[in-house]
Amino acid sequence: VQLQASGGGLVQAGGSLRLSCVTSGRTLSNYVMGWFRQPPGKDREFVASIHLRTGRTYPPPSAEARFTLSGDNSKNTVYLQMNNLKPEDTAVYYCASSTNLSMLRVTSWGKGTQVTVSS
């Protein structure tokens, strides 16, 4: 299974970006896809995940959320819509697959895509 992420870039604070991640094949090991990020000098951290078949996301949708995760099951693709970006969102964002929404066990990693938010 290969994961290909795209959509990173440089944006001003308050702006938006949409990251995409497409998986090359569907197996039981990648029914859940999601995103992690690694800010400069910090550890990698979980962002969000989605079950491609059920559409269930983790964390659950929130009206206050700045990041929204969605998926297109037919295209084996997930999208991370990031709105109202802040400088602290600057990080390398990694797409990953798993067998569960918590993504405690990642089965595949994609190459990271850089997101830089300027103040």
Side-chain angles (χ1 to χ4, degrees), residues 100-117:
N100 56 77
L101 282 172
S102 67
M103 302 200 80
L104 292 177
R105 176 178 168 271
V106 171
T107 53
S108 294
W109 289 99
K111 292 183 178 180
T113 183
Q114 178 71 46
V115 171
T116 303
V117 184

Side-chain angles (χ1 to χ4, degrees), residues 27-66:
T27 70
L28 291 176
S29 67
N30 64 329
Y31 260 96
V32 172
M33 293 176 65
W35 294 90
F36 289 75
R37 68 182 184 182
Q38 187 165 16
K42 297 184 178 180
D43 292 336
R44 192 173 298 186
E45 60 188 22
F46 172 77
V47 177
S49 64
I50 184 169
H51 192 289
L52 286 174
R53 188 174 59 196
T54 66
R56 184 182 175 192
T57 61
Y58 181 78
S62 167
E64 296 79 22
R66 295 186 295 118

Side-chain angles (χ1 to χ4, degrees), residues 70-118:
S70 62
D72 188 331
N73 196 22
S74 65
K75 297 180 180 180
N76 292 344
T77 302
V78 295
Y79 305 97
L80 182 65
Q81 179 66 43
M82 304 185 295
N83 297 326
N84 190 22
L85 283 162
K86 303 177 180 181
E88 51 263 42
D89 295 318
T90 294
V92 178
Y93 284 71
Y94 295 91
C95 178
S97 65
S98 180
T99 56
N100 56 77
L101 282 172
S102 67
M103 302 200 80
L104 292 177
R105 176 178 168 271
V106 171
T107 53
S108 294
W109 289 99
K111 292 183 178 180
T113 183
Q114 178 71 46
V115 171
T116 303
V117 184
S118 62

